Amino acid sequence: MAAPKCPSCRKAVALPPENKTFPFCSERCRTIDLGKWLGEEFRIPTKQVEEDEDGDGRPTPGDA
Ligand SMILES: [Zn+2]
């Protein structure tokens, strides 16, 4: 059986109940993953606004 890996740092993690932060290897990795997830939530509206402003079909300067 393959050991589960931390979704944040890809290190092998211990199983519960030994590991209270499963499936993460540590509290720190759990916080990092949560922050990443929230960061993407916040980035979605920003990206939509950029696409609306650039909706004239021309490529953004410096994007090519
Ligand atoms: Zn980790």
Side-chain angles (χ1 to χ4, degrees):
M1 180 176 116
K5 291 203 174 69
C6 173
S8 192
C9 73
R10 306 288 172 197
K11 278 198 318 196
V13 296
L15 293 166
E18 186 191 331
N19 179 4
K20 300 267 198 307
T21 57
F22 188 84
F24 301 96
C25 70
S26 64
E27 185 72 38
R28 189 165 160 265
C29 277
R30 190 168 69 172
T31 305
I32 287 169
D33 194 79
L34 182 69
K36 206 163 60 183
W37 193 85
L38 289 173
E40 289 187 15
E41 280 281 290
F42 286 126
R43 212 159 58 220
I44 288 165
T46 306
K47 197 173 184 179
Q48 284 174 340
V49 168
E50 282 175 359
E51 284 173 358
D52 283 347
E53 287 177 345
D54 197 34
D56 59 3
R58 289 183 298 162
T60 307
D63 201 31

